[in-house]
Amino acid sequence: MEFTWNALLTTLACSGIVGSLGTSNYLEQPCGIVPVHKFKIVGGHTAPRASTPWMASLIGENGFICGATLITNRFVLTAAHCLGNGELRVRLGENDLSKGGQEFKVDARIKHHNYSGDRHDIALLRLSARAQYTERISPICLLLDPLFSHLEDHIIKFRTYGWGENQFGRLNTILHKTSLYNTDRVNCSREFQNRSIDRDHICAKAANSSTCNGDSGGPLTAIVTYDHVATEFQFGIVSFGKQDCGGVTVFTNVMSHLEWIVENVRKAEKI
């Protein structure tokens, strides 16, 4: 059992509570499909091809900028600090930056209205055309059911993915992944005394791996078994960490921004 929360999900399923979850409790389905072949992230490992079909890379006028995730066939989710004023493109379907993948222009940028550096570091990008789902392109799951609004607090081990700098200070051409462990926000605040850490954040760390420059905008995820199906859900977005790329990373808490995500996706869909 990968997460202790799975035991609670099983109990709820037996009681019929989890069984009440339906398609309306996801932003889009199918999503978060975990491949059968299971497999600067510093100290991480390469992510197998097609194991992260929801992973996106943001490309600016001078090349790679940040990571992102596909959440519907028209929108990707990333960090607000990744957005600039220059042209942005989104690449999907390839974990190797040198191979390109499918590329989309961005026709709308939606930054959180209360973004202030380390607070509400979240943004949506609308693709100029709808992505066609394939084995290598499909969305990550966002769980909208209010019964699980604080699910992130009960997960012990997360995953994070990115092309950020490795221990040699160079961007990884191949997507890397690593496991990070949930860290108490009070202890996290002691690590960043000049920043305000609250429920809008998730903190995570590991002894021998961390995020680094270039991993911004990438996801913090966890696999949760629902209805006997292992599904990958997104819980966070890489926001900031230590300058030396070690220790704890602070993620924007996706769960506390779900209302903002849904409202803006639906609003922008109609434009």
Side-chain angles (χ1 to χ4, degrees):
M1 192 174 293
E2 189 159 9
F3 306 113
T4 56
W5 187 253
N6 284 352
L8 180 54
L9 284 176
T10 301
T11 302
L12 292 173
C14 292
S15 69
I17 295 176
V18 175
S20 67
L21 279 173
T23 303
S24 61
N25 288 310
Y26 296 87
L27 186 62
E28 182 147 315
Q29 279 208 304
C31 62
I33 298 170
V34 178
V36 175
H37 55 283
K38 288 207 171 185
F39 20 80
K40 158 176 165 178
I41 302 294
V42 177
H45 306 280
T46 57
R49 294 182 76 183
S51 68
T52 55
W54 30 261
M55 196 70 196
S57 56
L58 301 188
I59 310 298
E61 295 170 352
N62 297 314
F64 172 79
I65 298 175
C66 282
T69 48
L70 186 69
I71 59 171
T72 76
N73 61 15
R74 192 77 192 278
F75 289 88
V76 297
L77 188 65
T78 189
H81 78 262
C82 290
L83 277 57
N85 297 319
E87 180 182 318
L88 272 182
R89 290 163 287 142
V90 172
R91 287 180 183 169
L92 302 172
E94 183 54 71
N95 68 352
D96 186 337
L97 289 178
S98 67
K99 293 185 178 180
Q102 292 190 35
E103 193 166 289
F104 298 81
K105 291 182 178 179
V106 172
D107 67 9
R109 313 174 194 214
I110 307 168
K111 189 182 294 187
H112 196 285
H113 53 284
N114 287 326
Y115 167 62
S116 60
D118 56 1
R119 300 295 308 280
H120 307 292
D121 189 10
I122 185 171
L124 289 162
L125 298 177
R126 189 177 66 183
L127 307 181
S128 59
R130 295 186 186 279
Q132 299 299 310
Y133 294 158
T134 67
E135 182 186 19
R136 294 187 185 175
I137 300 176
S138 63
I140 189 78
C141 277
L142 300 184
L143 184 57
L144 308 182
D145 193 311
L147 286 173
F148 302 101
S149 59
H150 297 315
L151 178 59
E152 73 279 8
D153 291 340
H154 302 272
I155 292 175
I156 296 173
K157 185 170 71 172
F158 293 104
R159 294 177 175 187
T160 191
Y161 302 82
W163 289 278
E165 291 179 5
N166 56 31
Q167 59 266 41
F168 305 108
R170 296 191 296 269
L171 286 176
N172 288 303
T173 303
I174 306 296
L175 183 69
H176 275 56
K177 68 175 182 179
T178 195
S179 295
L180 299 177
Y181 293 86
N182 209 337
T183 302
D184 180 81
R185 292 183 181 91
V186 174
N187 291 327
C188 184
S189 294
R190 297 191 183 107
E191 299 275 345
F192 301 96
Q193 295 186 13
N194 60 333
R195 298 177 185 256
S196 177
I197 307 295
D198 57 21
R199 286 210 62 85
D200 288 335
H201 302 95
I202 298 173
C203 299
K205 67 177 181 179
N208 300 311
S209 60
S210 181
T211 59
C212 199
N213 302 321
D215 287 320
S216 291
L220 183 72
T221 75
I223 296 176
V224 175
T225 300
Y226 162 64
D227 197 21
H228 308 293
V229 178
T231 304
E232 194 148 7
F233 292 91
Q234 182 169 358
F235 292 94
I237 301 167
V238 179
S239 182
F240 62 89
K242 294 289 188 178
Q243 198 166 19
D244 63 359
C245 301
V248 67
T249 296
V250 180
F251 299 80
T252 301
N253 186 349
V254 168
M255 299 296 283
S256 68
H257 291 86
L258 286 175
E259 185 176 343
W260 178 86
I261 293 171
V262 173
E263 178 184 347
N264 283 280
V265 165
R266 290 176 179 165
K267 186 188 302 179
E269 277 277 12
K270 298 175 182 178
I271 299 174

